Amino acid sequence: MTRLLRSYSFRLTLLYVGLFGVSVLVIFAVVYGATASYMVGGLEQSVDAEMSALLDARTAGGLPGLIAAVNEHAGGPNHRATYTLLQDGSGQRLAGNLPTQPARLGWQDLPLPNAADEDDAIHARALRLNGLYLLVGKSTFQLKETREFMARSIGWGLLAMAALALIGGMVMSASLLRRVEAVRRTAQEIMAGDLSRRVPTRGTGDDFDQLSASLNEMLDRIQTLMEGLRQVTNDIAHDLRTPLTRLRQRLEAARLKARTVEDYTSILDSTLDDTDQILRTFGAMLHIAQIEAGTARSRFTDVDLSGVLRAIVDLYAAFAEDQKQELSGQIADGVSVHGDRELLTQMMVNLVENALRHCPAGTRIAVRLERPAGAILCTIADNGPGIPKEEHDKVFRRFYRLDSSRATPGSGLGLSLVAAIAELHGVAVTLGDNQPGLKVSLRFPPATIDSEGSGGQGRDVIPG
């Protein structure tokens, strides 16, 4: 309960209760004033009607007629709560049911004679008539009762409003606290090491559900990064341990067994090869980190993708022929994308080299660039052994290799570099079955035609 009362939502509720109470009080005050003013106006109209009737009686019957009318109107059956007074110039009462009064003219409030309540009063009007003093008034009891009733109603209404608002505020605050507590509890469990925990949602689509969904997406990303970090750490330890072990063994062999310059030279050459492999691995990791940081976007320009792919196919066609493989290209003309030429070239080279390296002699490798439905699609397909479907998502992880024994050359960073470059350029990379073989598809974002393309010189430009 203490935590509930100290919560921000409850304090906010109290503020709203105060503001709403002031607003309601102002409204009630306006209604109260208007109602009281209306009743006072009605009371004065009634007094004026009584006064007019007395003046008519004077006109018709003179002073005797006026005295008779004053006495008749003084609390008679048809004039209840009416009070009258007629006195001469010397202050002597001639008629009426009020004691003599000082000769004050106009509207005035007088105490009610013999009233049990001091607040009972008469609202009266006084005139002078040829030396006479005529006063007519009405009891304000009804007005007082109405005012008291309205005041009580306003008071009870404000109390009920405040009570309901406080109860509603406590209920709302308790609900908010439960949602906040769920987030806090989830955060503590995650900090304790359970990265699989997620903030619960109610499926209502409210602000808290949207916030919870965003937090869960962030936690999914963090978990993926942490698992990737653990995997990379294990793979680094595994991949670098072998060359470092060989490096140490060769150095130890040089110290214990080498006797001639040729022995030292041979061991040093092998040691340099191992060192270069370690440096290449670290260089590739650093390159991937730089790409993922997005700093290369500042170097984006329009890149002739058609020209880049033709150059790669021409460059590697001879190498493929030496390997008794066939590399061909079907490349559409005039296809440009917005990006970093060096990185895009490296991405395509890695994919082509990957196909050449892992396919046996007699394999046909086809590089294709086309523009279906306004997009740009590049595919590298082969009829080699392919990759098992369950391994498709794994091959883009750093240091992941189908050859778990790592007996074949390589660091397992080639496709990781492809994935990083593709993500930087907004390219969707998918692996498919070429039946047989592997088909790598690179789909660039939808193309926009250059505004000068109507003259035949335009080209597809892909925004980065």
Side-chain angles (χ1 to χ4, degrees):
M1 179 59 71
T2 303
R3 186 182 175 199
L4 175 64
L5 298 178
R6 294 174 57 187
S7 65
Y8 175 76
S9 58
F10 186 75
R11 294 200 302 270
L12 193 62
T13 299
L14 290 180
L15 175 62
Y16 283 141
V17 168
L19 292 176
F20 186 69
V22 171
S23 301
V24 171
L25 189 60
V26 170
I27 295 174
F28 280 171
V30 172
V31 172
Y32 177 86
T35 303
S37 177
Y38 175 79
M39 293 192 68
V40 170
L43 187 65
E44 290 181 349
Q45 288 179 0
S46 179
V47 170
D48 286 339
E50 297 277 356
M51 181 70 75
S52 297
L54 294 177
L55 293 178
D56 291 341
R58 174 179 175 274
T59 302
L63 180 59
L66 176 60
I67 291 174
V70 168
N71 287 327
E72 180 184 355
H73 282 246
N78 298 325
H79 304 280
R80 296 185 182 280
T82 301
Y83 294 87
T84 58
L85 173 66
L86 179 65
Q87 60 186 36
D88 57 17
S90 63
Q92 182 179 358
R93 186 175 70 173
L94 301 178
N97 56 355
L98 287 175
T100 57
Q101 302 288 333
R104 291 183 300 162
L105 302 180
W107 291 101
Q108 53 194 286
D109 290 320
L110 304 175
L112 188 66
N114 303 319
D117 190 343
E118 295 180 356
D119 292 334
D120 291 339
I122 301 170
H123 191 57
R125 181 185 177 193
L127 297 176
R128 284 193 181 277
L129 300 172
N130 298 327
L132 299 176
Y133 179 75
L134 177 62
L135 182 145
V136 178
K138 288 281 188 179
S139 172
T140 60
F141 176 78
Q142 196 73 21
L143 177 62
K144 183 191 74 170
E145 287 294 312
T146 302
R147 285 175 172 172
E148 290 178 353
F149 174 76
M150 291 184 64
R152 287 194 301 270
S153 299
I154 291 172
W156 284 112
L158 286 175
L159 286 176
M161 182 274 299
L164 290 175
L166 287 175
I167 294 173
M170 294 179 69
V171 172
M172 183 180 68
S173 299
S175 176
L176 291 176
L177 276 179
R178 285 194 295 270
R179 303 295 292 271
V180 172
E181 177 65 20
V183 176
R184 187 190 66 82
R185 187 168 54 249
T186 301
Q188 287 184 334
E189 292 173 352
I190 291 173
M191 287 188 294
D194 186 3
L195 295 180
S196 64
R197 291 288 300 145
R198 294 296 179 267
V199 180
T201 58
R202 295 183 177 178
T204 58
D206 58 11
D207 294 341
F208 268 98
D209 266 11
Q210 294 178 20
L211 176 61
S212 298
S214 298
L215 289 174
N216 288 339
E217 290 177 4
M218 179 187 69
L219 293 172
D220 289 340
R221 178 62 174 164
I222 292 174
Q223 184 179 13
T224 300
L225 292 175
M226 292 298 295
E227 291 176 352
L229 181 60
R230 282 198 293 264
Q231 181 66 35
V232 167
T233 302
N234 293 335
D235 290 339
I236 288 176
H238 195 283
D239 278 56
L240 294 184
R241 182 174 58 184
T242 300
L244 287 174
T245 301
R246 287 200 304 265
L247 183 63
R248 187 185 185 286
Q249 289 173 347
R250 289 188 178 117
L251 291 174
E252 188 175 1
R255 183 169 66 96
L256 298 177
K257 299 179 181 179
R259 295 292 181 267
T260 64
V261 174
E262 290 76 10
D263 292 340
Y264 280 108
T265 301
S266 176
I267 292 175
L268 286 176
D269 288 341
S270 300
T271 302
L272 288 174
D273 290 340
D274 291 337
T275 305
D276 289 340
Q277 179 182 347
I278 295 172
L279 292 175
R280 282 194 299 270
T281 299
F282 279 110
M285 291 173 57
L286 180 61
H287 196 26
I288 292 174
Q290 291 171 342
I291 293 171
E292 290 177 341
T295 56
R297 287 194 180 93
S298 61
R299 303 194 303 269
F300 277 18
T301 58
D302 290 347
V303 179
D304 181 8
L305 189 60
S306 299
V308 169
L309 287 174
R310 285 198 184 94
I312 293 173
V313 171
D314 292 342
L315 177 64
Y316 282 90
F319 176 80
E321 186 176 352
D322 292 341
Q323 298 288 110
K324 295 182 172 37
Q325 297 169 329
E326 180 184 342
L327 177 62
S328 62
Q330 296 180 353
I331 301 169
D333 294 328
V335 179
S336 292
V337 296
H338 194 66
D340 185 286
R341 182 183 183 88
E342 179 182 348
L343 293 179
L344 291 172
T345 301
Q346 185 168 16
M347 178 174 68
M348 299 303 180
V349 165
N350 281 16
L351 291 172
V352 171
E353 284 187 348
N354 191 72
L356 293 172
R357 182 183 301 115
H358 297 288
C359 290
T363 301
R364 293 189 303 275
I365 302 166
V367 179
R368 185 182 181 89
L369 179 64
E370 54 187 343
R371 288 177 289 192
I376 293 180
L377 179 63
C378 176
T379 59
I380 296 100
D382 62 67
N383 61 347
I387 298 177
K389 186 176 181 179
E390 60 271 14
E391 302 285 343
H392 284 183
D393 293 334
K394 300 178 182 178
V395 295
F396 291 104
R397 295 193 331 213
R398 297 180 191 180
F399 297 105
Y400 187 84
R401 295 165 66 180
L402 293 177
D403 178 15
S404 58
S405 65
R406 282 161 164 74
T408 57
S411 62
L413 293 173
L415 291 181
S416 299
L417 188 59
V418 168
I421 297 173
E423 183 176 1
L424 178 69
H425 290 81
V427 179
V429 183
T430 56
L431 303 183
D433 188 357
N434 199 39
Q435 298 179 350
L438 179 67
K439 182 178 182 180
V440 183
S441 299
L442 304 170
R443 183 174 292 274
F444 288 79
T448 56
I449 304 299
D450 195 339
S451 60
E452 298 179 358
S454 58
Q457 301 300 322
R459 59 185 179 179
D460 288 337
V461 179
I462 305 299

